[in-house]
Amino acid sequence: SQTIHQWPATLVQPVGSPLSLECTVEGTSNPNLYWYRQAAGRGLQLLFYSVGIGQISSEVPQNLSASRPQDRQFILSSKKLLLSDSSFYLCAWSVTESLRTDTQYFGPGTRLTVL
Amino acid sequence: RKEVEQDPGPFNVPEGATVAFNCTYSNSASQSFFWYRQDCRKEPKLLMSVYSSGNEDGRFTAQLNRASQYISLLIRDSKLSDSATYLCVVNGRYSTGGFKTIFGAGTRLFVKA
């Protein structure tokens, strides 16, 4: 069966510091991978998605970036965190069985607080 | 108009009640539909897919109305453990030729003893 891991679970960082969040998927190959964030009491905001190694699409201009160095690894980074980056960051994967379906499965998330 | 709209609630219902949520979507080319459940401070989890013919899973029934562009979720015999936020999710083809998955902001449900 497939599993998705994210770490760390919680993180407190000072403003201006760098960020690196990691997501890995097991039990599948060539998954679609996604990074979302969710502010408290708000909906999901898609940040990046990837359909393959080295292929990253950005949905919203941010001070964030993403990379996919390996098939089942997705990394979210920032060179300098802002206060507004405090949020709940979620990684998700899907296997696009056809062009019509895209059931996404989420990791446990990283709760980031920027002080 | 938002691409996927839900009543944010909250819906406060007693145990045993039946509660229904609706969700409307704007892209008539949408192809697949889902309901997710999200507990407080947790990740969303797939509850069920929604098919044109409707589908049922225990106390949960999902319906799709393509003509009116909405999907619904019905929960019968509500349990305290049903308290959560329910997210409507729509996947559809856009004019650019690609597919996109849109999450609604969610409807909060509180089931009271």
Side-chain angles (χ1 to χ4, degrees), chain B residues 48-79:
Chain B
M48 58 199 309
S49 301
V50 188
Y51 306 119
S52 296
S53 55
N55 50 309
E56 186 174 316
D57 182 4
R59 298 181 293 108
F60 298 83
T61 301
Q63 296 279 356
L64 167 64
N65 185 318
R66 284 191 182 273
S68 301
Q69 294 183 206
Y70 76 84
I71 66 173
S72 63
L73 178 67
L74 182 77
I75 305 175
R76 291 181 298 277
D77 188 22
S78 298
K79 310 292 184 190

Side-chain angles (χ1 to χ4, degrees), chain B residues 5-46:
Chain B
E5 289 201 73
Q6 296 183 250
D7 181 344
F11 286 60
N12 294 288
V13 303
E15 268 188 300
T18 295
V19 62
F21 309 134
N22 279 345
C23 165
T24 59
Y25 59 94
S26 61
N27 183 5
S28 59
S30 295
Q31 300 278 353
S32 52
F33 310 87
F34 311 89
W35 283 102
Y36 280 71
R37 170 197 170 121
Q38 186 174 23
D39 293 296
C40 187
R41 300 176 70 83
K42 297 287 188 180
E43 75 274 23
K45 293 184 178 177
L46 179 66

Side-chain angles (χ1 to χ4, degrees), chain A:
Chain A
S1 65
Q2 301 87 0
T3 55
I4 178 169
H5 305 277
Q6 280 187 251
W7 64 91
T10 59
L11 190 60
V12 180
Q13 292 283 99
V15 169
S17 64
L19 173 74
S20 181
L21 302 181
E22 190 162 342
C23 169
T24 58
V25 181
E26 296 176 356
T28 186
S29 59
N30 196 33
N32 297 324
L33 295 172
Y34 309 82
W35 277 113
Y36 290 87
R37 73 178 176 188
Q38 187 178 36
R42 308 293 294 275
L44 293 169
Q45 179 188 29
L46 179 63
L47 301 174
F48 302 95
Y49 67 93
S50 170
V51 298
I53 295 175
Q55 300 179 62
I56 309 293
S57 296
S58 175
E59 286 292 306
V60 182
Q62 305 280 346
N63 66 319
L64 303 170
S65 62
S67 62
R68 186 170 177 174
Q70 300 180 47
D71 180 42
R72 290 169 287 176
Q73 183 185 31
F74 206 21
I75 297 173
L76 182 69
S77 304
S78 174
K79 292 182 179 177
K80 285 187 177 181
L81 283 168
L82 307 172
L83 286 174
S84 58
D85 290 326
S86 294
S87 194
F88 187 38
Y89 288 84
L90 290 155
C91 180
W93 72 274
S94 71
V95 176
T96 304
E97 297 164 345
S98 74
L99 291 178
R100 296 177 58 248
T101 62
D102 185 28
T103 306
Q104 296 183 24
Y105 300 92
F106 287 84
T110 294
R111 197 160 299 277
L112 172 67
T113 302
V114 182
L115 301 175

